[in-house]
Short mmCIF file of all heavy atoms in Angstrom, two decimals:
data_model
loop_
_atom_site.label_atom_id
_atom_site.label_comp_id
_atom_site.label_asym_id
_atom_site.label_seq_id
_atom_site.Cartn_x
_atom_site.Cartn_y
_atom_site.Cartn_z
N ILE A 4 -63.55 -214.88 -86.74
CA ILE A 4 -63.86 -214.14 -85.54
C ILE A 4 -64.76 -212.99 -86.00
O ILE A 4 -64.44 -212.28 -86.91
CB ILE A 4 -62.63 -213.63 -84.80
CG1 ILE A 4 -61.77 -214.74 -84.27
CG2 ILE A 4 -62.99 -212.63 -83.70
CD1 ILE A 4 -60.51 -214.33 -83.67
N ILE A 5 -65.88 -212.77 -85.24
CA ILE A 5 -66.75 -211.62 -85.54
C ILE A 5 -66.84 -210.80 -84.23
O ILE A 5 -67.13 -211.34 -83.15
CB ILE A 5 -68.06 -212.04 -86.01
CG1 ILE A 5 -68.09 -212.80 -87.26
CG2 ILE A 5 -69.11 -210.84 -86.07
CD1 ILE A 5 -69.33 -213.32 -87.81
N LEU A 6 -66.65 -209.52 -84.35
CA LEU A 6 -66.85 -208.61 -83.25
C LEU A 6 -68.30 -208.06 -83.32
O LEU A 6 -68.64 -207.49 -84.36
CB LEU A 6 -65.91 -207.48 -83.25
CG LEU A 6 -66.13 -206.31 -82.24
CD1 LEU A 6 -65.93 -206.84 -80.78
CD2 LEU A 6 -65.19 -205.13 -82.44
N ALA A 7 -69.04 -208.44 -82.28
CA ALA A 7 -70.45 -207.97 -82.30
C ALA A 7 -70.64 -206.61 -81.80
O ALA A 7 -71.21 -206.30 -80.68
CB ALA A 7 -71.28 -209.00 -81.52
N SER A 8 -70.13 -205.63 -82.44
CA SER A 8 -70.16 -204.25 -82.01
C SER A 8 -69.81 -203.23 -83.23
O SER A 8 -68.99 -203.57 -84.00
CB SER A 8 -69.14 -203.98 -80.91
OG SER A 8 -69.13 -202.60 -80.57
N SER A 9 -70.52 -202.12 -83.22
CA SER A 9 -70.22 -201.15 -84.20
C SER A 9 -69.32 -200.04 -83.60
O SER A 9 -68.96 -199.11 -84.30
CB SER A 9 -71.51 -200.49 -84.70
OG SER A 9 -72.22 -199.88 -83.62
N SER A 10 -68.85 -200.23 -82.32
CA SER A 10 -68.05 -199.26 -81.62
C SER A 10 -66.73 -199.20 -82.37
O SER A 10 -65.92 -200.16 -82.35
CB SER A 10 -67.88 -199.62 -80.22
OG SER A 10 -66.88 -198.95 -79.55
N PRO A 11 -66.26 -198.03 -82.89
CA PRO A 11 -64.93 -197.90 -83.37
C PRO A 11 -63.90 -198.13 -82.34
O PRO A 11 -62.84 -198.59 -82.61
CB PRO A 11 -64.91 -196.42 -83.87
CG PRO A 11 -66.25 -195.84 -83.86
CD PRO A 11 -67.08 -196.73 -82.94
N ARG A 12 -64.20 -197.76 -81.12
CA ARG A 12 -63.27 -197.98 -79.98
C ARG A 12 -62.93 -199.44 -79.80
O ARG A 12 -61.76 -199.85 -79.60
CB ARG A 12 -63.74 -197.24 -78.67
CG ARG A 12 -63.70 -195.79 -78.84
CD ARG A 12 -64.67 -195.07 -77.95
NE ARG A 12 -66.09 -195.43 -78.05
CZ ARG A 12 -66.91 -195.04 -78.96
NH1 ARG A 12 -66.48 -194.36 -79.97
NH2 ARG A 12 -68.15 -195.40 -79.04
N ARG A 13 -64.05 -200.21 -79.76
CA ARG A 13 -63.84 -201.75 -79.58
C ARG A 13 -63.05 -202.24 -80.74
O ARG A 13 -62.20 -203.19 -80.65
CB ARG A 13 -65.16 -202.39 -79.40
CG ARG A 13 -65.71 -202.15 -78.07
CD ARG A 13 -66.89 -203.07 -77.65
NE ARG A 13 -67.35 -202.67 -76.42
CZ ARG A 13 -68.63 -202.16 -76.17
NH1 ARG A 13 -69.46 -201.99 -77.19
NH2 ARG A 13 -69.01 -201.80 -74.99
N GLN A 14 -63.34 -201.76 -81.90
CA GLN A 14 -62.69 -202.24 -83.12
C GLN A 14 -61.13 -201.94 -83.04
O GLN A 14 -60.32 -202.79 -83.37
CB GLN A 14 -63.26 -201.73 -84.40
CG GLN A 14 -64.68 -202.12 -84.70
CD GLN A 14 -65.35 -201.41 -85.74
OE1 GLN A 14 -64.73 -200.93 -86.75
NE2 GLN A 14 -66.68 -201.25 -85.66
N GLU A 15 -60.83 -200.77 -82.62
CA GLU A 15 -59.42 -200.33 -82.47
C GLU A 15 -58.76 -201.17 -81.48
O GLU A 15 -57.62 -201.58 -81.60
CB GLU A 15 -59.25 -198.90 -81.95
CG GLU A 15 -59.69 -197.97 -83.21
CD GLU A 15 -59.84 -196.50 -82.66
OE1 GLU A 15 -59.45 -196.14 -81.48
OE2 GLU A 15 -60.37 -195.60 -83.48
N LEU A 16 -59.37 -201.41 -80.31
CA LEU A 16 -58.82 -202.19 -79.14
C LEU A 16 -58.54 -203.68 -79.76
O LEU A 16 -57.45 -204.19 -79.51
CB LEU A 16 -59.67 -202.29 -78.01
CG LEU A 16 -59.73 -200.92 -77.15
CD1 LEU A 16 -60.86 -201.03 -76.16
CD2 LEU A 16 -58.39 -200.76 -76.50
N LEU A 17 -59.53 -204.32 -80.34
CA LEU A 17 -59.33 -205.61 -80.85
C LEU A 17 -58.25 -205.69 -81.88
O LEU A 17 -57.50 -206.71 -81.92
CB LEU A 17 -60.63 -206.14 -81.35
CG LEU A 17 -60.74 -207.63 -81.53
CD1 LEU A 17 -60.42 -208.40 -80.19
CD2 LEU A 17 -62.14 -208.06 -81.95
N SER A 18 -58.11 -204.71 -82.66
CA SER A 18 -57.05 -204.57 -83.72
C SER A 18 -55.62 -204.62 -83.06
O SER A 18 -54.76 -205.15 -83.67
CB SER A 18 -57.13 -203.44 -84.61
OG SER A 18 -58.39 -203.55 -85.40
N GLN A 19 -55.56 -204.08 -81.86
CA GLN A 19 -54.29 -204.06 -81.15
C GLN A 19 -53.75 -205.51 -80.87
O GLN A 19 -52.51 -205.67 -80.75
CB GLN A 19 -54.37 -203.30 -79.80
CG GLN A 19 -54.55 -201.87 -79.97
CD GLN A 19 -54.65 -201.22 -78.50
OE1 GLN A 19 -54.32 -201.75 -77.57
NE2 GLN A 19 -55.28 -199.99 -78.51
N LEU A 20 -54.66 -206.47 -80.81
CA LEU A 20 -54.24 -207.84 -80.57
C LEU A 20 -53.70 -208.59 -81.79
O LEU A 20 -53.35 -209.62 -81.73
CB LEU A 20 -55.50 -208.54 -79.97
CG LEU A 20 -56.01 -208.05 -78.58
CD1 LEU A 20 -57.20 -208.95 -78.25
CD2 LEU A 20 -54.87 -208.07 -77.58
N GLY A 21 -53.80 -207.94 -82.90
CA GLY A 21 -53.35 -208.51 -84.23
C GLY A 21 -54.30 -209.51 -84.76
O GLY A 21 -53.96 -210.36 -85.61
N LEU A 22 -55.57 -209.53 -84.23
CA LEU A 22 -56.48 -210.55 -84.74
C LEU A 22 -57.14 -210.08 -86.03
O LEU A 22 -57.34 -208.89 -86.22
CB LEU A 22 -57.62 -210.78 -83.68
CG LEU A 22 -57.24 -211.29 -82.30
CD1 LEU A 22 -58.36 -211.32 -81.38
CD2 LEU A 22 -56.64 -212.77 -82.55
N ASP A 23 -57.54 -211.08 -86.91
CA ASP A 23 -58.26 -210.76 -88.07
C ASP A 23 -59.68 -211.07 -87.77
O ASP A 23 -60.01 -212.15 -87.33
CB ASP A 23 -57.76 -211.84 -89.15
CG ASP A 23 -58.29 -211.42 -90.52
OD1 ASP A 23 -58.67 -210.27 -90.72
OD2 ASP A 23 -58.30 -212.33 -91.37
N PHE A 24 -60.51 -210.08 -87.95
CA PHE A 24 -62.01 -210.19 -87.54
C PHE A 24 -62.84 -209.34 -88.49
O PHE A 24 -62.40 -208.39 -89.08
CB PHE A 24 -62.17 -209.74 -86.02
CG PHE A 24 -61.85 -208.28 -85.73
CD1 PHE A 24 -62.85 -207.35 -85.79
CD2 PHE A 24 -60.51 -207.91 -85.46
CE1 PHE A 24 -62.68 -206.01 -85.47
CE2 PHE A 24 -60.28 -206.56 -85.17
CZ PHE A 24 -61.36 -205.63 -85.19
N GLU A 25 -64.08 -209.69 -88.47
CA GLU A 25 -65.18 -208.95 -89.09
C GLU A 25 -65.94 -208.26 -88.00
O GLU A 25 -66.02 -208.72 -86.90
CB GLU A 25 -65.91 -209.76 -90.00
CG GLU A 25 -65.23 -210.27 -91.19
CD GLU A 25 -66.08 -211.07 -92.15
OE1 GLU A 25 -67.23 -210.67 -92.35
OE2 GLU A 25 -65.63 -212.19 -92.59
N VAL A 26 -66.77 -207.28 -88.51
CA VAL A 26 -67.78 -206.61 -87.55
C VAL A 26 -69.16 -206.85 -87.91
O VAL A 26 -69.48 -206.72 -89.17
CB VAL A 26 -67.38 -205.12 -87.56
CG1 VAL A 26 -68.34 -204.31 -86.73
CG2 VAL A 26 -66.00 -204.78 -87.01
N PHE A 27 -69.98 -207.19 -87.01
CA PHE A 27 -71.44 -207.27 -87.31
C PHE A 27 -72.16 -206.84 -86.03
O PHE A 27 -71.96 -207.43 -84.97
CB PHE A 27 -71.81 -208.69 -87.62
CG PHE A 27 -73.21 -208.80 -88.05
CD1 PHE A 27 -73.67 -208.57 -89.35
CD2 PHE A 27 -74.21 -209.14 -87.10
CE1 PHE A 27 -75.04 -208.73 -89.72
CE2 PHE A 27 -75.52 -209.25 -87.42
CZ PHE A 27 -75.93 -209.00 -88.78
N SER A 28 -72.91 -205.81 -86.08
CA SER A 28 -73.43 -205.24 -84.92
C SER A 28 -75.01 -205.70 -84.79
O SER A 28 -75.77 -205.38 -85.68
CB SER A 28 -73.49 -203.67 -84.99
OG SER A 28 -74.01 -203.23 -83.86
N PRO A 29 -75.39 -206.40 -83.78
CA PRO A 29 -76.65 -206.78 -83.63
C PRO A 29 -77.61 -205.79 -83.10
O PRO A 29 -77.09 -204.82 -82.42
CB PRO A 29 -76.57 -207.96 -82.64
CG PRO A 29 -75.39 -207.58 -81.80
CD PRO A 29 -74.49 -206.90 -82.68
N ASP A 30 -78.84 -205.89 -83.28
CA ASP A 30 -79.85 -204.91 -82.71
C ASP A 30 -80.54 -205.64 -81.61
O ASP A 30 -81.31 -206.61 -81.80
CB ASP A 30 -80.87 -204.53 -83.86
CG ASP A 30 -81.70 -203.46 -83.33
OD1 ASP A 30 -81.41 -202.76 -82.41
OD2 ASP A 30 -82.85 -203.35 -83.92
N ILE A 31 -80.18 -205.27 -80.36
CA ILE A 31 -80.91 -205.89 -79.17
C ILE A 31 -81.49 -204.80 -78.28
O ILE A 31 -81.05 -203.63 -78.35
CB ILE A 31 -79.93 -206.80 -78.31
CG1 ILE A 31 -78.83 -205.96 -77.77
CG2 ILE A 31 -79.37 -207.89 -79.24
CD1 ILE A 31 -78.10 -206.67 -76.64
N ASP A 32 -82.41 -205.14 -77.46
CA ASP A 32 -83.05 -204.29 -76.55
C ASP A 32 -82.09 -204.06 -75.40
O ASP A 32 -81.73 -205.06 -74.69
CB ASP A 32 -84.37 -204.83 -76.09
CG ASP A 32 -85.07 -203.96 -75.08
OD1 ASP A 32 -84.65 -202.79 -74.79
OD2 ASP A 32 -86.08 -204.34 -74.59
N GLU A 33 -81.67 -202.86 -75.05
CA GLU A 33 -80.76 -202.45 -74.03
C GLU A 33 -81.31 -201.99 -72.77
O GLU A 33 -80.70 -201.35 -71.94
CB GLU A 33 -79.55 -201.67 -74.55
CG GLU A 33 -78.75 -202.27 -75.65
CD GLU A 33 -77.57 -201.62 -76.04
OE1 GLU A 33 -77.10 -200.62 -75.21
OE2 GLU A 33 -76.87 -201.92 -76.97
N THR A 34 -82.69 -202.15 -72.67
CA THR A 34 -83.38 -201.72 -71.45
C THR A 34 -83.00 -202.40 -70.18
O THR A 34 -82.85 -203.65 -70.21
CB THR A 34 -84.90 -201.93 -71.64
OG1 THR A 34 -85.24 -201.30 -72.90
CG2 THR A 34 -85.67 -201.23 -70.55
N VAL A 35 -82.60 -201.64 -69.23
CA VAL A 35 -82.30 -202.23 -67.84
C VAL A 35 -83.54 -202.86 -67.29
O VAL A 35 -84.61 -202.25 -67.21
CB VAL A 35 -81.71 -201.14 -66.97
CG1 VAL A 35 -81.45 -201.80 -65.58
CG2 VAL A 35 -80.54 -200.48 -67.59
N ARG A 36 -83.46 -204.10 -66.80
CA ARG A 36 -84.50 -204.79 -66.20
C ARG A 36 -84.67 -204.39 -64.70
O ARG A 36 -83.71 -203.89 -64.09
CB ARG A 36 -84.34 -206.38 -66.26
CG ARG A 36 -84.32 -206.87 -67.74
CD ARG A 36 -84.17 -208.27 -67.76
NE ARG A 36 -84.19 -208.68 -69.15
CZ ARG A 36 -83.70 -209.92 -69.61
NH1 ARG A 36 -83.14 -210.75 -68.72
NH2 ARG A 36 -83.83 -210.24 -70.83
N ASP A 37 -85.89 -204.57 -64.15
CA ASP A 37 -86.18 -204.22 -62.76
C ASP A 37 -85.15 -204.98 -61.91
O ASP A 37 -85.01 -206.17 -62.06
CB ASP A 37 -87.52 -204.55 -62.43
CG ASP A 37 -88.56 -203.58 -63.06
OD1 ASP A 37 -88.22 -202.52 -63.51
OD2 ASP A 37 -89.75 -203.93 -63.07
N ALA A 38 -84.61 -204.27 -60.94
CA ALA A 38 -83.71 -204.92 -59.88
C ALA A 38 -82.46 -205.49 -60.44
O ALA A 38 -81.69 -206.15 -59.82
CB ALA A 38 -84.53 -205.89 -59.09
N GLU A 39 -82.13 -205.16 -61.71
CA GLU A 39 -80.92 -205.62 -62.31
C GLU A 39 -79.77 -204.80 -61.95
O GLU A 39 -79.74 -203.59 -62.01
CB GLU A 39 -81.06 -205.59 -63.90
CG GLU A 39 -79.96 -206.37 -64.64
CD GLU A 39 -80.26 -206.46 -66.12
OE1 GLU A 39 -80.81 -205.50 -66.70
OE2 GLU A 39 -80.06 -207.54 -66.61
#
Side-chain angles (χ1 to χ4, degrees):
I4 298 174
I5 298 176
L6 175 63
S8 176
S9 59
S10 163
R12 291 156 303 284
R13 286 195 182 110
Q14 292 171 35
E15 289 168 14
L16 286 168
L17 199 55
S18 293
Q19 288 179 21
L20 299 177
L22 296 174
D23 191 21
F24 64 94
E25 290 183 43
V26 173
F27 187 85
S28 183
D30 185 23
I31 65 161
D32 180 5
E33 296 192 10
T34 305
V35 178
R36 294 180 179 163
D37 290 343
E39 190 170 41

